Amino acid sequence: KVAALADNEARFAMENPYRIATKPHGHGDIHYLLHSQGLAEKWQSEGRRWILFFQDTNTLYLTTFLCSLGVSAKQGLQVNSVAMPRRGGEAVGAIARL
């Protein structure tokens, strides 16, 4: 488990005054597995240029992923993210800068 964040200011979500709320590891484990199992290196040697990570918490991504891939290719981006609007308190993931 990892610490849960409460807001865009990266404050810890608290279960009570003395316990930080936690959540499962989330989607980040895939990056470790791709590297540790040699799959990323294998794919690169096969000439694969793109990989798409779809997070089930970003439901609007299905309508935009081809556009974001095109922008990434045209701009030479190595990483590109698409986010969706959400209401405070919704049980969805987020990208945060701490």
Side-chain angles (χ1 to χ4, degrees):
K1 291 188 170 189
V2 296
L5 302 177
D7 56 32
N8 288 337
E9 301 301 317
R11 292 181 185 94
F12 288 125
M14 304 299 292
E15 287 184 14
N16 62 51
Y18 307 104
R19 182 180 296 267
I20 295 173
T22 59
K23 60 182 187 174
H25 281 200
H27 304 286
D29 290 341
I30 188 67
H31 306 287
Y32 169 75
L33 291 170
L34 285 170
H35 174 72
S36 67
Q37 301 301 307
L39 193 56
E41 187 174 324
K42 177 180 183 266
W43 285 352
Q44 186 176 28
S45 71
E46 293 173 350
R48 295 184 193 213
R49 297 179 54 204
W50 308 104
I51 187 170
L52 168 69
F53 292 100
F54 169 71
Q55 294 180 224
D56 60 351
T57 55
N58 191 344
T59 56
L60 296 178
Y61 198 67
L62 292 174
T63 62
T64 63
F65 75 91
L66 288 176
C67 297
S68 62
L69 177 59
V71 168
S72 296
K74 185 174 183 177
Q75 299 295 322
L77 302 177
Q78 293 183 0
V79 175
N80 194 357
S81 292
V82 175
M84 64 177 226
R86 59 180 146 274
R87 296 181 185 142
E90 285 183 301
V92 295
I95 296 174
R97 181 172 56 181
L98 302 178

